[in-house]
Amino acid sequence: MKVHISLAASAALLALAPVNATLAAPEKGAATEVPSQLPRNAAPLHYSITVTPNAEKLSFDGNVLIEFLLKTPSDSVTLNAADIDFRRVTIAKGRAAAMPATASVNAAAQTATIAFGKKLPAGRYTLNIDYSGKILQQANGLFALDYKDPQGAEKRALFTQFEAPDARRFVPSWDEPNYKATFDLTATVPAEQMAVSNMPVAARRDIGNGLAEVRFGTSPKMSTYLLFFGLGEFDRITKQVGPTEVGVVVGKGNGPKGQYALDASAKLVAYYNDYFDTPYPLPKLDNVAGPGQSQFFSAMENWGAIFTFERVLLNDPKITSARTRQGIFSTDAHEIAHQWFGNLVTMAWWDDLWLNEGFASWMESKATAHFNPDWQSELDRVNGREGAMGLDAYVTTHPVIQKISTVEQTSQAFDTITYQKGEAVITMLEAYAGETIWRDGLRAYMKKHAYANTRTDDLWNAVEAAGAKGLVKIAHDFTKQPGVPLLEVKSAKCVNGSTLLTLTQSEFSRDRKAETSAKPQRWNVPVIAQVIGQAPSKTVISNGSGSLQLAGCGAFIVNAGQSGYYRVLYQPDMMAALQKDFAKLPAIDQLGLLNDSQSLAFNEYQPVRTALNLVDAVPSDTSQRVTEDNVSTYGYLYGLYEKDPARQAKLAKLASNRFGPTLSKLGYKQSPSDSTLDANLRSSLISTLGYMGDPAVVAEAKRLFAELETNPAALDGPLRTTWLGVIAQNADQADWDKMRKLGQTAESFLVKSSMYRLLGSARDIALAKQALALALTKEPGPTLSAAIINGVSGDHPELAVDFALANREAVEALVDVSSKSEFIPGLGYGSSDPAMVGKLEAYAKAYLSPESRKPVDQAVAAIQTRIKSQPRIRTETSAWLDEKAAQ
């Protein structure tokens, strides 16, 4: 699953109704360590599901035959069910007559106990369950998405979203990843619509009254959360990759917009077949596009039928930017990687969720770099690692492998630590093992555990057995304990043409610096370092200290290549040497050094001046990616002075003087000859300088916006959303009304969604209030309203939180069930107002159970740290800026 993981940006969404059920006592034997919320007396073998959806009434009828193994004599079995109405239940053994059974539902635990009326002996049985369920309007279970077709007619399509625990809303089932089974699915659908599932259609027949019965092929053995069903007025485009038919399923008329994703999918399937040395095992792999959006996820890896929201799958020349096309490819790479890592081999329980997501993120980056080396996508890993460290440095963090006991905790596990820290740790371990040994270990793991479930150590053991001696110990340190190692370079001595480094290991923290400095955790830390221009050297720092000899003398970089998950603190003279030779560093080390330096400075490990001097040393002709990072630093500093307009104006002028020439050289229009990196840099410069009120950028935005009056296509193209973003932030009432009209009259849902998301980003507080009021109307549609509220929180977190609390039930209805406990804390995450702490604490006390409040704790920790650190950062930054002005 590709998830929105930034609390500050959007707050992942709501986690299901709390399930406080005690975990069943584990069985003795091989499965001892696999948790479960269900009794262990039964396991499913095969599901035969028949479903008849009624899209208009938002309901469906279902029947399921579940072949299962009763492991011990019992008078009942318990499985999962949520929002299911049981009508009739029977149980049968073989060809014997079926016996009536009764279902008792525990709504809070999301379970149903099927009582047989007497104790039955162990053996194979079949449950026959007639039931009905609900079609939701947020992305959980079987859900509906409404849109207008190209002719303006209202349409409704149906899709499913089951990860983590929502297959139980579609079919009564053993809805935990360790309970794998095969599936048959049959659906009665409108004859003119296309039905899609994990497997190809095996048979289709008209049954009269405008209906058709569609039967899909039997699935491989898989977990319930990977089951998929989609229904609507679709087109399907395909390519053949060996024995696999690769497809993209889109709303009618959108086929050309899916071609880019289809081409990417075909390349990726072939690449993964080779990398894993295990061919993709299903006859087809579709990627199904849905209108709308979720605050929780953008795509889901259902086996053979990936679901992706249109805005991150379709390539529309009218609005799709170069960065969005990169996102289409990387999202595709992530979800297709899951077909092996997650689907073929599945984590046994959600505490090993990172085995799915961290590895899919890592493979996403590897595949993207393979096919698009000019994108410098390896730098994305540095930014991803930075996001993980930002969360991992708070006391509220958690280990990569975390204890999951409830449905609520499962939903909250889809976060930055699981994805980005997971990817960063894997990157470090691959660098330690070497690419060939690492790949050999993965191949052995894949073959040994195909169609089965694993725990994390199964993978570590496979890689160490392939030749990566000592890997298990390192892996345990970085996955079983939270936090960020801090390596301090105590000394560097040049002796006989070599440099001898002495390093100590502490722990980096944003809110417990004194505590972690006095008593840091210990890690075995793989270190790669080099003198600039010389060959790298490697070691492992153990027990808190170590040394490393480097070839050559001169300025040196620790964490060369940026594969390590740790921060590096240099002595002042070392930083001065790095600043002097900054231009000689490769782009990836420039970016890593800038991120480390700023994080250490902003969290009081070194003066802010040290970081800003390094920012000032970035040459204008450096990598576009590094320039993007640099301009974003100016944007961050600008935001710090929101209550000091005079200082903001000086910062804005400094940024315009520094980056304006680069933007002028690139030009305001994208050319077909532009590289992807140039296109992305242009967009970043326009966005950030526009945010800071650069006169030339704002004037161009207004000119283009005014031109829409006479030329509706004036903004069409890859910079459309970028320019409209500048307008939205600086909008007056007339501008805002005009943008709203563009959303109302948009010719496609893709364009509509981009317009409505922007309406929440106005800095004018009166317009922000109008955006919030609009979100509670039917106009945007149920899946876009939450994005408007989230947009308001960017500049007005207090306003957004107050509004959400005042309209809590209405707002919570606009977000996925899986994101409920995270949405409101996410709105307040970026606040610097002490009053916000009290508001979030009161919200948690009133509405969240203890296991649901982690997002509140994380937001409170960030707010309190910001309140403490920002005055110092402003003071030191002001002094630095004044010195620059006096030069």
Side-chain angles (χ1 to χ4, degrees):
M1 183 186 288
K2 192 83 167 183
V3 174
H4 301 288
I5 49 178
S6 170
L7 274 171
S10 72
L13 263 136
L14 223 53
L16 292 148
V19 176
N20 299 310
T22 303
L23 293 181
E27 292 180 307
K28 295 180 180 179
T32 296
E33 297 181 1
V34 179
S36 175
Q37 293 177 320
L38 299 172
R40 298 297 192 104
N41 66 332
L45 302 170
H46 180 74
Y47 296 87
S48 293
I49 305 167
T50 301
V51 63
T52 303
N54 187 324
E56 183 179 355
K57 293 183 178 180
L58 294 175
S59 64
F60 67 93
D61 294 320
N63 172 269
V64 62
L65 299 174
I66 310 176
E67 297 176 41
F68 72 99
L69 178 64
L70 189 63
K71 298 180 180 180
T72 59
S74 180
D75 61 359
S76 68
V77 294
T78 299
L79 38 66
N80 293 111
D83 293 331
I84 293 292
D85 180 18
F86 288 82
R87 293 174 172 172
R88 179 175 177 271
V89 183
T90 65
I91 185 168
K93 182 174 178 60
R95 296 183 179 180
M99 300 180 296
T102 58
S104 300
V105 173
N106 183 334
Q110 298 183 352
T111 61
T113 297
I114 310 298
F116 312 143
K118 64 179 180 179
K119 182 173 285 190
L120 298 179
R124 293 172 66 117
Y125 293 87
T126 300
L127 283 173
N128 187 334
I129 304 173
D130 284 325
Y131 63 98
S132 61
K134 299 176 182 177
I135 298 176
L136 305 176
Q137 291 189 287
Q138 300 295 336
N140 298 97
L142 178 60
F143 66 97
L145 291 175
D146 296 338
Y147 65 100
K148 289 183 180 180
D149 69 10
Q151 290 72 44
E154 296 285 348
K155 298 293 181 180
R156 171 169 288 174
L158 303 181
F159 309 93
T160 58
Q161 168 57 26
F162 293 156
E163 189 178 28
D166 282 323
R168 64 194 65 179
R169 299 180 188 276
F170 182 72
V171 59
S173 54
W174 279 265
D175 191 20
E176 294 180 354
N178 199 45
Y179 289 107
K180 286 193 169 186
T182 53
F183 292 81
D184 283 327
L185 177 63
T186 300
T188 300
V189 302
E192 76 280 5
Q193 295 188 6
M194 180 187 296
V196 185
S197 189
N198 308 81
M199 299 295 288
V201 173
R204 179 186 177 104
R205 66 184 182 94
D206 290 333
I207 58 175
N209 296 320
L211 298 175
E213 182 185 84
V214 180
R215 177 172 59 84
F216 298 96
T218 302
S219 79
K221 189 178 178 184
M222 66 184 190
S223 302
T224 49
Y225 76 90
L226 296 172
L227 183 64
F228 178 78
F229 174 68
L231 176 66
E233 296 184 11
F234 300 145
D235 287 334
R236 182 171 182 259
I237 56 175
T238 64
K239 271 192 170 185
Q240 198 70 27
V241 180
T244 306
E245 186 178 72
V246 178
V248 170
V249 178
V250 296
K252 278 193 173 295
N254 280 332
K257 297 176 186 176
Q259 190 64 47
Y260 181 81
L262 178 63
D263 293 342
S265 296
K267 294 178 185 178
L268 289 161
V269 169
Y271 175 75
Y272 290 144
N273 280 340
D274 175 69
Y275 186 87
F276 292 120
D277 194 30
T278 300
Y280 175 76
L282 278 66
K284 65 97 174 174
L285 174 58
D286 282 327
N287 202 331
V288 184
Q293 67 181 68
S294 161
Q295 298 302 302
F296 181 51
F297 75 105
S298 55
M300 173 60 204
E301 67 268 18
N302 314 294
W303 211 357
I306 297 164
F307 172 82
T308 309
F309 284 103
E310 287 181 351
R311 67 189 186 92
V312 284
L313 183 69
L314 301 189
N315 179 27
D316 185 343
K318 286 190 175 182
I319 63 169
T320 301
S321 67
R323 196 183 308 278
T324 300
R325 275 193 298 278
Q326 283 182 284
I328 294 170
F329 192 97
S330 64
T331 299
D332 224 5
H334 184 102
E335 303 308 328
I336 294 176
H338 270 309
Q339 306 302 300
W340 285 264
F341 244 107
N343 299 6
L344 181 63
V345 182
T346 311
M347 80 265 138
W349 181 247
W350 299 108
D351 50 8
D352 279 319
L353 174 66
W354 89 285
L355 266 179
N356 284 14
E357 301 301 349
F359 271 88
S361 298
W362 170 77
M363 280 305 301
E364 162 195 336
S365 297
K366 179 175 281 289
T368 300
H370 174 81
F371 286 108
N372 306 283
D374 56 312
W375 291 357
Q376 296 184 8
S377 56
E378 65 275 10
L379 273 66
D380 287 332
R381 283 183 166 164
V382 179
N383 290 331
R385 182 190 68 192
E386 189 66 21
M389 287 183 174
L391 187 60
D392 209 16
Y394 286 113
V395 70
T396 52
T397 188
H398 62 81
V400 170
I401 301 172
Q402 54 184 312
K403 183 179 180 181
I404 301 293
S405 301
T406 68
V407 171
E408 175 73 17
Q409 291 169 342
T410 300
S411 296
Q412 292 180 4
F414 291 84
D415 67 1
T416 304
I417 300 299
T418 294
Y419 285 75
Q420 267 60 51
K421 183 175 181 179
E423 178 183 4
V425 169
I426 293 163
T427 299
M428 179 173 66
L429 294 174
E430 183 194 25
Y432 173 82
E435 287 189 22
T436 300
I437 288 175
W438 180 261
R439 186 191 61 194
D440 289 346
L442 291 190
R443 287 176 169 180
Y445 167 85
M446 200 67 61
K447 286 179 169 60
K448 181 177 180 180
H449 300 288
Y451 304 102
N453 298 84
T454 61
R455 305 308 299 262
T456 294
D457 272 359
D458 293 321
L459 178 61
W460 300 152
N461 292 333
V463 178
E464 186 160 295
K469 185 178 180 180
L471 180 135
V472 172
K473 189 173 183 180
I474 296 167
H476 282 175
D477 285 351
F478 280 89
T479 59
K480 291 188 174 183
Q481 66 182 5
V484 182
L486 173 63
L487 295 187
E488 183 174 358
V489 187
K490 288 293 188 181
S491 66
K493 297 179 181 179
C494 179
V495 180
N496 297 326
S498 297
T499 300
L500 181 65
L501 303 184
T502 302
L503 304 103
T504 60
Q505 181 253 299
S506 182
E507 183 177 354
F508 173 75
S509 176
R510 302 182 73 168
D511 57 355
R512 298 169 296 136
K513 182 184 174 186
E515 177 186 335
T516 56
S517 296
K519 192 176 180 181
Q521 297 182 99
R522 294 299 181 201
W523 290 263
N524 287 280
V525 185
V527 177
I528 302 174
Q530 68 184 119
V531 171
I532 297 175
Q534 301 293 325
S537 297
K538 299 181 179 182
T539 192
V540 176
I541 300 297
S542 302
N543 300 316
S545 62
S547 60
L548 181 60
Q549 186 167 324
L550 309 181
C553 294
F556 59 88
I557 184 83
V558 177
N559 203 7
Q562 302 302 308
S563 62
Y565 187 80
Y566 52 85
R567 294 210 181 278
V568 183
L569 179 61
Y570 298 90
Q571 302 301 319
D573 62 320
M574 302 171 191
M575 279 299 298
L578 281 168
Q579 179 182 324
K580 180 181 177 182
D581 287 348
F582 187 84
K584 298 178 182 179
L585 289 168
I588 194 167
D589 286 330
Q590 290 182 345
L591 187 60
L593 183 61
L594 285 164
N595 284 338
D596 260 357
S597 178
Q598 290 171 41
S599 193
L600 290 165
F602 296 157
N603 291 284
E604 213 170 353
Y605 285 87
Q606 64 184 15
V608 172
R609 174 190 310 277
T610 301
L612 298 183
N613 284 341
L614 193 64
V615 166
D616 209 35
V618 176
S620 59
D621 61 350
T622 190
S623 159
Q624 299 96 321
R625 298 292 301 278
V626 176
T627 301
E628 282 191 68
D629 184 80
N630 217 25
V631 73
S632 72
T633 300
Y634 278 84
Y636 163 74
L637 295 173
Y638 179 88
L640 285 177
Y641 291 100
E642 61 179 348
K643 296 180 180 179
D644 187 347
R647 180 66 72 182
Q648 276 194 328
K650 292 179 180 179
L651 258 171
K653 184 177 181 180
L654 187 64
S656 295
N657 290 340
R658 175 155 191 170
F659 299 106
T662 302
L663 180 55
S664 295
K665 184 178 178 180
L666 289 170
Y668 284 144
K669 293 183 178 180
Q670 187 162 320
S671 163
S673 63
D674 282 340
S675 70
T676 296
L677 293 183
D678 278 343
N680 288 344
L681 177 57
R682 177 189 291 107
S683 179
S684 291
L685 291 173
I686 291 171
S687 294
T688 305
L689 294 179
Y691 161 69
M692 299 172 76
D694 178 272
V697 171
V698 173
E700 178 65 7
K702 288 184 176 295
R703 184 190 71 79
L704 290 168
F705 195 55
E707 194 177 333
L708 287 175
E709 297 290 344
T710 56
N711 177 16
L715 278 170
D716 284 1
L719 287 170
R720 176 188 172 102
T721 303
T722 300
W723 285 117
L724 288 173
V726 174
I727 291 294
Q729 286 182 323
N730 298 283
D732 58 21
Q733 185 69 58
D735 293 334
W736 195 87
D737 289 341
K738 186 175 176 181
M739 291 188 69
R740 181 179 177 184
K741 186 69 173 178
L742 289 173
Q744 292 170 332
T745 59
E747 68 274 22
S748 72
F749 198 93
L750 207 56
V751 174
K752 175 183 176 179
S753 65
S754 69
M755 293 307 309
Y756 276 100
R757 288 198 307 272
L758 288 172
L759 288 175
S761 57
R763 275 182 286 192
D764 182 283
I765 195 164
L767 297 177
K769 290 179 179 178
Q770 289 182 48
L772 291 172
L774 177 65
L776 290 190
T777 70
K778 293 182 178 180
E779 181 182 318
T783 69
L784 296 182
S785 291
I788 297 175
I789 300 170
N790 195 57
V792 171
S793 74
D795 279 300
H796 308 287
E798 292 78 20
L799 180 66
V801 168
D802 288 346
F803 175 84
L805 292 175
N807 301 277
R808 184 184 58 81
E809 291 185 0
V811 168
E812 288 182 353
L814 300 174
V815 297
D816 300 350
V817 171
S818 351
S819 309
K820 180 179 178 182
S821 64
E822 298 183 72
F823 187 71
I824 291 177
L827 297 177
Y829 191 94
S831 174
S832 301
D833 185 351
M836 181 63 74
V837 173
K839 292 176 185 178
L840 294 181
E841 291 285 4
Y843 163 73
K845 183 177 180 181
Y847 301 111
L848 300 181
S849 59
E851 69 271 15
S852 307
R853 62 165 293 136
K854 182 175 74 171
V856 167
D857 294 338
Q858 291 174 329
V860 166
I863 294 165
Q864 290 176 330
T865 300
R866 199 175 294 119
I867 291 168
K868 179 181 177 182
S869 65
Q870 282 187 349
R872 178 186 60 84
I873 297 171
R874 278 193 291 266
T875 298
E876 294 188 36
T877 300
S878 296
W880 183 81
L881 290 169
D882 290 342
E883 288 179 15
K884 280 188 66 66
Q887 291 174 357

